[in-house]
Amino acid sequence: MLSIKNLHASVADKPILKGLTLEVPAGEVHAIMGPNGAGKSTLSYVLTGRQGYEVTEGSATLNGEDLLALEANERAAKGVFLSFQYPLEIPGVPALTFIRTAMNAQRKARGEEEIAAPAFLKLARETAASLKIDFEMLKRSLNVGFSGGEKKRMEIFQMAMLSPRFLILDETDSGLDIDALKIVSAGVNAMRSPERGMLVITHYQRLLDYIKPDRVHVLSAGRIVASGGPELAHELEAEGYDKYVQVAA
Amino acid sequence: MSLSTALKTGDVTLLPSRRDENWRWTDLRALIRDLPAGADAETVGYDGPFAALGGQERVWVNGHAGGDSQITVEAGDRVAVGFRFISTRPSGNASRVSVRVRPGGRLVLLESYEAAADGAIAAVDLDIEVQDGGRMERIVLAADQAQSITVSIAEVTLGAAAAYAQTLLTTGARRQRLETRVAHPGADASVRLDGAYLLADQRHADLTTIVTHGGVDGATSQLTKGVVRDQARGVFQGRIVVEPGADRTDARMGHHALILSDRAEVDAKPELLIFADDVQCAHGNTIGALDKEAIFYAMQRGMSVDQARAMLTTAFVGEVIDRIEDDGAREIARGWASRQLEGAGD
Ligand SMILES: Nc1ncnc2c1ncn2[C@@H]1O[C@H](COP(=O)(O)OP(=O)(O)OP(=O)(O)O)[C@@H](O)[C@H]1O
Ligand SMILES: [Mg+2]
């Protein structure tokens, strides 16, 4: 599914990713943990095509298709979704309008029909109910005045609506209270399927109690420096990143 | 010095020029070498931008009034009327109209500028009086040809507890000035002066307002938004004067513009001149580019860069549109804005 090989990327001419290699097969959930500033969000932006993130070497493919050659919206249409660490506020655009516009843009790019308004609303109502989101909130400007946790929940709502093939969650757990964490995790788990892959970036073992990863990787100084099973997350929780920071240096 | 007197006398030295502080960004003297002659009245067979709302309409073609040049709304009446100022020829023309709303009367004025010929020069002067307790909403849609010149000046006088609201919507012209001067009596009268200028190519639009609060307990709220691209130029001059003794005035002015290209320009001069006590005044003025992060966010969800930009600019202008009270006019304004901004991503 997702295959990253020897990826080097710079931001403002500063090398951040320095030879990152990672495989996430279809059907698997991989977690990425690592110290602040290691390059986790950078990886998510490079994969999704944000401007200013320059790939200097290496490759990233989804099902064999070169992601790096595509515009951000083309990658979205291929099914790559990023739940942002810091979701943006979009004043004047109701959440529902935003999502419907995005959904239809993706459909158009894939040569599919637009979704009919009644079908869209039905899907939105059901999805909102499953994530315990007040439907009225979806009529408000997207993320404007939403609490940190509400914004994260809105990311998962968008993800569920758009039904992507590859999910990247960048610290979706930060800012969530315990109940919200359970609801969001249930929403993410509901999307696990043999065709989907997921990359879950987090600082906390707790999220991984709910979203059980198949593999855990440590990203430090722009590279994957260790990989293991779920037990690796427990070890990190207990011992911190010290030894990996030294490895990377 | 005004365009209308210059047109009437044929004397170009009477044109406003950059030497007048108030016209420094909309110099007509340097632009107009010769004043074109007038043209005859004509019948115009096409609809104006507010036609879908029906209702009565008055039409000025090349400066010739199709009927009475004055309208009075009697006490207790509710009236909606359309004014269309049309230039079909590369001619010079000046129109004058007076509007009176008697105590307790209500008027919705749907006004359009339709200079349909390159080289047309039009001056429109409006005298508007809203008497005690009267209400008026004026929505102006300026849809002028790129090579025309328009100056519209509205002088507004208000009675006690009158309510005057206005929204100017424009795509500009070669030079275009839409000016509003309000004599505000205080006295629980309220004024809303809004505007949106959406400019492309080499168009120019100047929204100038002067509100003079002359008595206690008056309120003014202003919100103007602009989106300029290509080599277009937007001008906003907003002045609120609170005269000595006009205590307890509440005045708010906002002007916010998005500049979508390196060669576009916005000149803004917000001024609050306060000579009274116990006054609540606030103003905000911002000029900037579209938020790149917001564009990336929308693209990550699947929108093309053009779609993302059009969505964000439309939402930006939407705040002005939403303040239009008349439902029909608001929807026409919304459609107008989204058509203008569809290409904003180019
Ligand atoms: N626009 C930028 N200009 C310069 N440096 C940048 C820019 N954006 C990110 N960086 C740097 O890149 C490095 C990696 O940042 P990144 O956000 O990917 O870290 P992270 O692993 O996600 O950290 P955190 O756990 O705090 O979210 C940091 O040192 C950061 O300061
Ligand atoms: Mg990060």
Side-chain angles (χ1 to χ4, degrees):
Chain A
M1 181 136 217
L2 179 73
S3 172
I4 305 172
K5 294 204 174 83
N6 189 33
L7 190 63
H8 290 253
S10 302
V11 185
D13 288 327
K14 181 181 162 199
I16 309 289
L17 301 183
K18 302 165 186 167
L20 188 147
T21 296
L22 178 68
E23 292 279 339
V24 183
E28 293 196 4
V29 173
H30 288 209
I32 293 191
M33 305 181 82
N36 294 129
K40 303 181 298 297
S41 294
T42 301
L43 173 64
S44 68
Y45 291 142
V46 168
L47 291 175
T48 50
R50 182 167 172 174
Q51 263 186 12
Y53 288 73
E54 199 199 342
V55 175
T56 52
E57 207 182 324
S59 67
T61 59
L62 185 69
N63 295 332
E65 210 169 348
D66 181 8
L67 278 180
L68 303 177
L70 302 175
E71 295 291 335
N73 56 312
E74 295 170 327
R75 300 183 201 194
K78 298 281 180 200
V80 179
F81 182 97
L82 168 62
S83 169
F84 281 56
Q85 182 172 359
Y86 304 106
L88 277 287
E89 299 189 359
I90 311 288
V93 183
L96 280 177
T97 309
F98 182 89
I99 298 164
R100 186 155 46 85
T101 309
M103 184 182 283
N104 283 329
Q106 286 199 19
R107 285 178 173 233
K108 193 174 161 206
R110 293 193 292 255
E112 299 164 13
E113 295 257 311
E114 287 203 346
I115 188 166
F120 176 80
L121 282 177
K122 182 165 180 281
L123 179 66
R125 276 185 202 286
E126 288 168 2
T127 308
S130 75
L131 291 169
K132 298 207 164 56
I133 289 174
D134 180 5
F135 193 75
E136 288 306 307
M137 195 160 151
L138 300 173
K139 298 176 181 168
R140 285 166 49 192
S141 290
L142 180 60
N143 291 335
V144 177
F146 291 13
S147 73
E150 287 169 340
K151 287 178 184 173
K152 294 301 178 73
R153 216 188 283 205
M154 196 56 66
E155 293 291 279
I156 299 307
F157 175 76
Q158 294 181 54
M159 187 173 85
M161 290 291 291
L162 294 169
S163 192
R165 285 199 296 173
F166 194 87
L167 285 53
I168 305 166
L169 308 183
D170 191 356
E171 295 197 27
T172 297
D173 50 339
S174 67
L176 291 181
D177 65 37
I178 295 176
D179 294 332
L181 184 66
K182 287 183 187 165
I183 294 164
V184 161
S185 303
V188 173
N189 285 329
M191 297 197 68
R192 289 180 93 136
S193 87
E195 295 82 41
R196 263 195 195 109
M198 295 189 198
L199 208 49
V200 178
I201 296 167
T202 182
H203 285 294
Y204 304 106
Q205 158 59 33
R206 202 183 54 184
L207 176 70
L208 305 179
D209 288 338
Y210 295 105
I211 304 174
K212 296 217 155 51
D214 297 289
R215 302 279 292 163
V216 175
H217 308 276
V218 180
L219 199 169
S220 182
R223 294 167 55 216
I224 301 295
V225 294
S227 299
E231 73 288 348
L232 179 55
H234 287 281
E235 183 202 309
L236 291 168
E237 183 103 334
E239 296 172 20
Y241 294 114
D242 269 6
K243 70 181 190 197
Y244 300 106
V245 172
Q246 278 153 22
V247 167
Chain B
M1 296 250 189
S2 75
L3 176 61
S4 48
T5 46
L7 281 169
K8 277 174 210 149
T9 58
D11 182 355
V12 288
T13 66
L14 295 178
L15 289 167
S17 80
R18 75 179 77 221
R19 285 199 304 273
D20 311 311
E21 176 60 19
N22 196 14
W23 286 84
R24 64 176 161 147
W25 288 315
T26 307
D27 190 340
L28 296 183
R29 179 75 182 88
L31 184 73
I32 302 173
R33 295 252 169 81
D34 302 294
L35 288 158
D40 292 339
E42 275 179 45
T43 329
V44 165
Y46 53 85
D47 285 339
F50 293 109
L53 302 180
Q56 53 164 311
E57 146 178 317
R58 304 204 179 178
V59 183
W60 285 255
V61 181
N62 303 327
H64 303 279
D68 208 352
S69 268
Q70 98 173 29
I71 178 168
T72 300
V73 176
E74 299 298 337
D77 278 1
R78 286 166 163 254
V79 175
V81 63
F83 283 180
R84 297 174 65 193
F85 297 96
I86 305 173
S87 305
T88 59
R89 306 277 159 191
S91 62
N93 62 69
S95 313
R96 172 169 279 282
V97 55
S98 69
V99 174
R100 180 175 302 154
V101 180
R102 293 216 193 270
R106 297 182 72 152
L107 173 66
V108 176
L109 176 60
L110 305 167
E111 192 174 316
S112 55
Y113 297 115
E114 305 172 48
D118 279 346
I121 302 184
V124 177
D125 286 286
L126 297 102
D127 263 311
I128 295 172
E129 185 191 358
V130 185
Q131 298 179 351
D132 294 358
R135 297 178 72 89
M136 172 167 171
E137 182 173 30
R138 176 182 180 225
I139 298 109
V140 179
L141 205 159
D144 283 330
Q145 249 289 330
Q147 293 304 322
S148 64
I149 297 171
T150 295
V151 173
S152 148
I153 298 179
E155 294 266 8
V156 182
T157 327
L158 303 177
Y164 178 80
Q166 149 180 312
T167 306
L168 307 177
L169 307 165
T170 183
T171 45
R174 185 161 180 223
R175 286 280 198 291
Q176 184 190 68
R177 163 97 147 207
L178 306 177
E179 179 169 331
T180 313
R181 305 175 191 154
V182 181
H184 198 311
D188 293 322
S190 72
V191 169
R192 173 172 66 73
L193 294 181
D194 292 354
Y197 55 91
L198 311 180
L199 311 178
D201 306 320
Q202 298 185 22
R203 284 171 178 257
H204 169 283
D206 170 342
L207 272 55
T208 291
T209 60
I210 303 164
V211 182
T212 308
H213 281 260
V216 297
D217 294 320
T220 293
S221 164
Q222 262 188 286
L223 180 65
T224 301
K225 292 211 171 182
V227 179
V228 295
R229 57 188 150 124
D230 304 328
Q231 289 152 264
R233 184 177 192 198
V235 175
F236 171 77
Q237 303 189 104
R239 186 190 301 162
I240 297 179
V241 183
V242 182
E243 292 193 330
D247 297 345
R248 298 190 303 274
T249 292
D250 186 329
R252 280 153 217 282
M253 181 195 296
H255 168 253
H256 306 285
L258 286 177
I259 297 189
L260 301 187
S261 87
D262 295 344
R263 297 169 75 191
E265 181 177 329
V266 171
D267 299 299
K269 189 178 177 191
E271 287 180 288
L272 297 176
L273 305 173
I274 300 164
F275 305 105
D277 299 324
D278 188 17
V279 166
Q280 293 220 37
C281 284
H283 74 103
N285 182 48
T286 58
I287 299 172
L290 270 178
D291 179 359
K292 285 204 175 77
E293 284 198 54
I295 292 174
F296 171 62
Y297 186 65
M299 288 179 76
Q300 205 299 304
R301 300 295 136 95
M303 290 178 225
S304 68
V305 66
D306 287 357
Q307 246 183 326
R309 293 173 71 127
M311 176 188 75
L312 295 173
T313 48
T314 306
F316 173 76
V317 173
E319 198 185 346
V320 169
I321 309 283
D322 288 341
R323 283 160 60 107
I324 297 175
E325 290 146 40
D326 185 82
D327 293 336
R330 189 172 57 246
E331 290 323 304
I332 283 176
R334 206 184 297 288
W336 167 85
S338 67
R339 277 193 307 282
Q340 298 310 321
L341 296 170
E342 238 163 45
D346 302 351

